[in-house]
Amino acid sequence: MTLVQLEYLIAVDTYRHFATAAENCFVTQPTLSMQLQKLEEELGVQLFDRSRVPVRPTEVGKEIIAQARVVLSESKKIQELVQNQKKELSGELRIGVIPTLAPYLMPLFITSFLEKYPQVRVVAQELLTNEIVEKLNHELLDVGLLVTPLENKSIKELPLFYEAFMVYVNPKHALVKQKDVSPTELLPDDLWVLNEGHCFRSQVLNICNRGGKIGNSESNNFDYKSGSLETLKRIVETQHGITLLPELSVLEMTEDKKQLVRPFREPQPLREVSLVVHKSFLKKKLIEALQKEIVAALPESIRTRKKQQVIGVS
């Protein structure tokens, strides 16, 4: 039994397809299949049910794969011990970022991070929360940038900052005349929200205490499903109603757009933004450096804000 064979084993479990697993392991499919066959012969068990599509591990295969993940994780700690002795950070850092954070947070820190650590290669993806957690569990990501708390026992949350929700109002809407807004003033027929699957949608509905019920009665002939906050902003500007935005998204707005933004009255509803890692995560120094760089890049008003009324994500 070799570490390479265990890597192939985990790859097939992750991708549930031999060809895709081989491609991601940078070997040919015959090579990968041959090594797994040797492993099965050595262990005297069948690890995968190859008659099913997608391929799935057998019951004993599931137990062996779980242990293989532990073995590989422990072996990588040896490499990390060596890496930690070096003065300069290097290597690859794979980051998953939710869409309601990526366009507003990434530009604040990524340039300075890369300049400070030129030997680090950052690979970032925009993904939904459940996708980030799944990829962390399968070791396809090193760290996630998302909204917490998630109450998931497989991951560890490292809170970074607390960001306020802001109300974005159509120029003709009655709320535009107010300096701030109460959640009770947000009517469901006025509210534009993201598609299901976005944690931001769940938080908006929690703020408004509307469950899953929303609508736009002023415009029954226009029903728009969006995965983009920028699109919702344009709909509010050109159609009617309101939407909620994260505080960071307001920073780069032009002054005329900022005239349509209203804060909530105190206590302001906040979202907790965290770095999220697997409970047995590696690359600790890289992630610590990322954490410091993100916090340093934040506006002081956000960086120094204390935890108050955090809105749940479910």
Side-chain angles (χ1 to χ4, degrees), residues 153-171:
K153 293 181 180 179
S154 71
I155 62 175
K156 181 177 181 180
E157 300 172 2
L158 308 170
L160 292 170
F161 61 92
Y162 297 92
E163 181 182 23
F165 289 85
M166 313 296 283
V167 184
Y168 196 62
V169 187
N170 178 274

Side-chain angles (χ1 to χ4, degrees), residues 173 175 182-194 201 204-220 222-223 236 240-244:
H173 197 282
L175 291 179
S182 167
T184 59
E185 296 176 297
L186 304 182
L187 302 177
D189 288 341
D190 286 346
L191 193 60
W192 296 94
V193 298
L194 294 173
R201 171 194 170 97
V204 168
L205 296 179
N206 286 340
I207 290 172
C208 302
N209 197 24
R210 303 297 181 187
K213 299 179 180 180
I214 56 169
N216 298 102
S217 63
E218 292 181 35
S219 184
N220 288 329
F222 182 47
D223 182 13
V236 167
H240 67 91
I242 60 175
T243 194
L244 267 59

Side-chain angles (χ1 to χ4, degrees), residues 147-151 165 198-208 269-272 307-314:
V147 173
T148 53
L150 297 180
E151 298 180 358
F165 289 85
H198 291 268
C199 60
F200 196 82
R201 171 194 170 97
S202 299
Q203 290 179 302
V204 168
L205 296 179
N206 286 340
I207 290 172
C208 302
L270 307 175
R271 69 173 184 170
E272 180 181 77
K307 181 177 181 179
Q308 299 177 40
Q309 185 179 343
V310 173
I311 304 300
V313 297
S314 60

